[in-house]
Amino acid sequence: MGVRKKERAEQIKEAKKQTAFAKLNNCPTSPRKMRLVADLVRGEKVEKALHILKFSQKEAAGRLEKLLLSAIANWQSKNEDASLEDAELFVKEIRVDGGSMLKRLRPAPQGRAHRIRKRSNHVTLVLGENNNTQS
């Protein structure tokens, strides 16, 4: 391996240490409902985001809280020597994509049937270290 390539690989490795992510696949909530909760915590510090999710009335908030705790644990496993308080972690990115749909039929008048689409979603949460950014 060349010197420049090796140095670039080290830079990428250090940059990846600064971030941690967690994914939640096939969550049985519609993406629209999940995005309402995801928008509340986007860009917030981790402590504030946990408080927002804990006291939110929405069902999706419990699932996102669990996902955020998982992302924090992933960051801690990457950075065993660093402390969580000093790092000032924040929610760098949170993305809610549509997942697979369960298609069901509901009886309708005059022998017809209406299709019911039970939606699911995929959530990707990325944490970043706050060096000198907002919030």
Side-chain angles (χ1 to χ4, degrees):
M1 189 183 295
V3 174
R4 281 189 305 215
K5 195 172 184 181
K6 195 170 189 177
E7 288 173 356
R8 181 68 183 142
E10 289 296 322
Q11 288 175 350
I12 290 171
K13 193 174 180 182
E14 282 300 313
K16 283 187 177 181
K17 259 193 159 183
Q18 304 278 325
T19 63
F21 76 98
K23 288 182 77 171
L24 174 64
N25 285 333
N26 293 319
C27 178
T29 309
S30 74
R32 188 175 183 176
K33 290 177 184 176
M34 188 64 87
R35 279 187 198 110
L36 286 174
V37 181
D39 291 340
L40 293 174
V41 297
R42 185 174 287 121
E44 296 289 348
K45 288 186 178 178
V46 168
E47 295 85 14
K48 187 175 179 186
L50 281 172
H51 288 299
I52 290 170
L53 292 173
K54 185 171 184 158
F55 295 109
S56 177
Q57 296 289 319
K58 304 238 179 228
E59 181 190 351
R63 293 184 171 133
L64 275 184
E65 182 183 8
K66 199 170 177 182
L67 184 68
L68 182 56
L69 289 171
S70 173
I72 292 168
N74 291 344
W75 183 86
Q76 284 177 328
S77 69
K78 274 186 178 181
N79 304 290
E80 292 162 352
D81 53 337
S83 72
L84 190 61
E85 291 79 25
D86 297 339
E88 294 184 18
L89 291 177
F90 71 103
V91 180
K92 186 174 184 179
E93 178 184 349
I94 183 165
R95 197 170 51 247
V96 181
D97 302 318
S100 59
M101 273 188 272
L102 297 174
K103 294 180 175 125
R104 301 288 180 258
L105 293 177
R106 166 157 292 159
Q110 299 179 357
R112 291 188 299 252
H114 291 155
R115 176 147 315 155
I116 303 290
R117 292 186 303 270
K118 296 191 173 193
R119 299 172 189 270
S120 67
N121 63 56
H122 305 311
V123 184
T124 307
L125 193 142
V126 179
L127 296 180
E129 283 189 33
N130 209 3
N131 298 333
N132 53 7
T133 55
Q134 82 285 356
S135 301

